Amino acid sequence: MAMDPRALWTMSYGMYLVTARAGGRANGQIANAVFQVTAEPPRVAIAINKENFTHDLIRDGGWFAFSVLADTVPMEFIGLFGFKSGRDVDKLAQATVREGLHVPLVVAHAVAVTEARVLLAMDAGSHTVFVGEAVSAEVLSAGAPLTYAGYHARKGKAPKNAPTYRGDAEPPAPPTAPAVASPWTCGVCGYTYDPAEGDPAHGIAPGTRFEDLPDDWVCPVCGAPKDAFLPD
Ligand code: FE
């Protein structure tokens, strides 16, 4: 049997925000590889890239927490935690955080949060798999969790907190831009700028062509500059 990577793309995941602290520094990052290993005692596993700041904080601090993100989470919130490094930005200063037993817990845009003590760390190549014992957990909201597939389906649309966001059930708005205006997609995070929708959250009116965006406009999801975009 040949190795077809598309077979792995069919696998289902959630969207989580993993937090950790060590040596007086704390950070959080987006992760999709989080799952429960055993029920009794309750044990959970996460896979974290060794290059990430959070990886070292988990390794050195010996604890981690993860928030299950709600399906109403703004794309910019995912952009902050998924596309910026905690080595450069104090990400937790920009989120609603509550102190856990050992690490900060991100409670904004989350339906549940769990804190775990690391039991073992397995070297898996580019990533380390940390298995932890869940020592504290709480349901924060009755909302639905965001899935990895749901995140990718939303990525090309306006952020859900944008005034122009339309649910899939509604008909598309009439075109307000010339037919020649094409969407452009961010080469870093995959966000698509749609000229018909603009970027009202950042003062860009619907109907604004990508070419006419100000030079200092940046990707609303990951913060990449204009020249990181390519036309669709
Ligand atoms: Fe981007």
Side-chain angles (χ1 to χ4, degrees):
M1 191 169 72
M3 174 60 206
D4 185 345
R6 290 173 302 179
L8 301 178
W9 300 349
T10 66
M11 295 171 69
S12 298
Y13 299 93
M15 286 288 284
Y16 307 94
L17 203 164
V18 174
T19 50
R21 170 187 283 136
R25 296 195 68 183
N27 193 42
Q29 68 153 76
I30 300 293
N32 66 291
V34 175
F35 63 100
Q36 183 168 357
V37 181
T38 60
E40 199 52 53
R43 288 178 176 166
V44 290
I46 59 174
I48 301 290
N49 193 302
K50 290 176 183 172
E51 294 181 359
N52 290 356
F53 186 42
T54 303
H55 175 277
D56 295 355
L57 298 182
I58 298 170
R59 181 196 59 200
D60 298 342
W63 288 79
F64 63 86
F66 62 89
S67 307
V68 180
L69 294 176
D71 70 355
T72 52
V73 60
M75 291 297 279
E76 283 157 312
F77 189 80
I78 294 178
L80 169 65
F81 282 98
F83 292 98
K84 294 185 178 154
S85 172
R87 293 187 181 93
D88 310 322
V89 184
D90 185 356
K91 297 195 260 186
L92 294 174
Q94 301 177 53
T96 306
V97 174
R98 205 172 72 193
E99 205 44 51
L101 298 172
H102 293 269
V103 301
L105 313 174
V106 173
V107 293
H109 310 302
V111 298
V113 65
T114 297
E115 186 169 0
R117 180 175 59 86
V118 174
L119 297 174
L120 65 94
M122 186 177 73
D123 186 337
S126 61
H127 288 58
T128 298
V129 177
F130 294 100
V131 175
E133 175 147 17
V135 294
S136 142
E138 184 179 333
V139 175
L140 301 168
S141 129
L146 178 65
T147 65
Y148 193 56
Y151 161 69
H152 280 284
R154 259 177 57 186
K155 204 158 62 168
K157 301 179 187 174
K160 206 162 187 171
N161 61 344
T164 54
Y165 180 83
R166 303 186 307 263
D168 287 335
E170 295 177 49
T176 52
V180 293
S182 65
W184 288 58
T185 295
C186 176
V188 176
C189 74
Y191 163 83
T192 297
Y193 174 80
D194 180 350
E197 297 196 350
D199 181 14
H202 299 99
I204 306 298
T208 305
R209 299 189 320 151
F210 182 85
E211 295 85 338
D212 296 335
L213 291 171
D215 289 339
D216 60 356
W217 181 85
V218 297
C219 173
V221 172
C222 75
K226 264 186 86 176
D227 60 14
F229 281 69
L230 289 171
D232 285 8

